[in-house]
Amino acid sequence: MTEGNFVDYVKINVASGNGGSGSKHFRREKYISKGGPDGGDGGRGGHVIFKGNKNLWTLISFKFKRHFKAEHGESGSKNRSTGAFGKDLVIPVPLGTVVYDSTNNQKIIEIDDEQDHIIVEGGKGGKGNWHFRSSTNQTPRYSQPGIKGVEKDITLELKVLADVGLVGFPNAGKSTLLASITSAKPKIGDYEFTTLKPNLGIVEYKDFKTFVVADIPGIIEGASSGKGLGHYFLRHVERNSILLFLISAEHDIYKRFLILKEEMLKFKPELLDK
């Protein structure tokens, strides 16, 4: 979903590089009449790598660019020289990004650290004719072609990472609380679903320590079955360390708490362990 500059769900296409072809070269020097095969191997194609970046909070960088390709490996050459490897394509993503294979909706990986994660491997380079020499075949005039890279359609889904997640019905005052305890400036109004995207704020407390609070858009009864924007809202609850229920005193507080608790239980029972 997209709201302003907040983008948390995109589909993109990635392709790793092709491996370079092996060389069929034969050694040719002035005083060596039968130098034999000396063709080198082709270089590996570039990998497609995702790397978590703690300074990113949205997938907006994928809003206008959806196709990503790594470089191809170069062919081998004489003197058993291996072709240059294709340059890996490193794509930064926010921490909390989940990567899915779009063809079968299978989860590939969840990016929760700042390490390199190979999503699509580059094609292997082919072997040069030097590898195929033997006592019975001293002049192999063939080599291996490089293996082609892999093209894949993938889906990126961002689940907001925060220390505290504010959970409640629409118009319960979550945005107002966030604006009061942090420097965040969320949209505030007296109508339901004022907030259509998670808002984040940093709370400062003693000894210069801080923690992050997320204002999760309002959850309504039936959200776990997709009512309203249920699944979109609920998935952002998953990545919060602590859940803080905010319920208006104008309503039956305990009844509303049970409704919210039930919706999270139906969506993902593990949420109640928080």
Side-chain angles (χ1 to χ4, degrees):
M1 182 168 180
T2 302
E3 168 82 357
N5 289 333
F6 186 83
V7 180
D8 66 348
Y9 185 90
V10 293
K11 291 186 177 182
I12 64 174
N13 176 272
V14 297
S16 59
N18 299 334
S21 299
S23 171
K24 302 174 185 177
H25 191 269
F26 285 86
R27 188 178 178 189
R28 295 287 183 266
E29 295 182 34
K30 187 174 182 180
Y31 300 107
I32 301 176
S33 58
K34 297 180 180 180
D38 71 344
D41 301 341
R44 168 183 63 76
H47 299 319
V48 176
I49 296 173
F50 280 6
K51 183 170 185 162
N53 186 325
K54 64 182 179 182
N55 296 316
L56 298 177
W57 295 95
T58 172
L59 298 173
I60 192 171
S61 59
F62 302 96
K63 188 174 181 180
F64 303 107
K65 183 178 179 181
R66 299 294 175 95
H67 295 271
F68 299 85
K69 291 184 178 181
E71 288 186 355
H72 299 316
E74 295 185 2
S75 298
S77 59
K78 62 183 179 179
N79 296 327
R80 293 186 240 164
S81 297
T82 300
F85 283 13
K87 186 178 179 181
D88 294 334
L89 178 62
V90 180
I91 304 174
V93 296
L95 297 180
T97 299
V98 185
V99 184
Y100 296 94
D101 186 329
S102 297
T103 57
N104 53 22
N105 204 34
Q106 290 295 309
K107 179 179 174 180
I108 298 175
I109 194 171
E110 180 178 334
I111 310 295
D112 55 7
D113 56 40
E114 294 188 278
Q115 304 300 314
D116 288 350
H117 300 277
I118 298 175
I119 303 302
V120 183
E121 291 189 350
K124 291 183 179 179
K127 291 183 177 180
N129 62 352
W130 183 79
H131 289 280
F132 303 105
R133 73 198 189 290
S134 67
S135 58
T136 57
N137 184 12
Q138 297 181 4
T139 56
R141 301 183 184 280
Y142 52 84
S143 61
Q144 289 181 333
I147 296 175
K148 288 188 176 297
V150 177
E151 184 176 352
K152 188 184 288 288
D153 290 320
I154 62 176
T155 300
L156 303 180
E157 182 180 276
L158 175 61
K159 298 179 180 180
V160 167
L161 288 164
D163 299 300
V164 180
L166 302 178
V167 178
F169 279 81
N171 209 30
K174 299 183 297 299
S175 297
T176 302
L177 176 61
L178 185 71
S180 299
I181 61 177
T182 75
S183 298
K185 296 179 174 57
K187 184 179 179 181
I188 298 173
D190 59 355
Y191 53 90
E192 292 192 347
F193 294 115
T194 310
T195 304
L196 292 176
K197 63 181 179 68
N199 291 300
L200 300 174
I202 298 176
V203 178
E204 298 181 2
Y205 64 110
K206 62 181 181 179
D207 300 326
F208 302 102
K209 295 179 180 178
T210 62
F211 61 89
V212 178
V213 177
D215 165 19
I216 307 299
I219 297 172
I220 62 175
E221 188 170 5
S224 59
S225 58
K227 189 174 181 181
L229 294 174
H231 286 177
Y232 167 64
F233 292 161
L234 282 166
R235 75 163 177 258
H236 288 297
V237 176
E238 295 183 55
R239 291 298 175 273
N240 298 296
S241 301
I242 297 172
L243 299 180
L244 177 63
F245 289 79
L246 189 62
I247 302 172
S248 171
E250 296 176 350
H251 306 282
D252 186 325
I253 297 175
Y254 187 62
K255 181 179 179 181
R256 291 215 153 192
F257 168 73
L258 291 179
I259 292 173
L260 293 170
K261 184 178 176 182
E262 183 66 18
E263 292 305 321
M264 287 192 290
L265 177 65
K266 290 177 181 177
F267 178 71
K268 200 166 194 177
E270 301 87 81
L271 290 177
L272 297 183
D273 295 333
K274 294 182 181 294

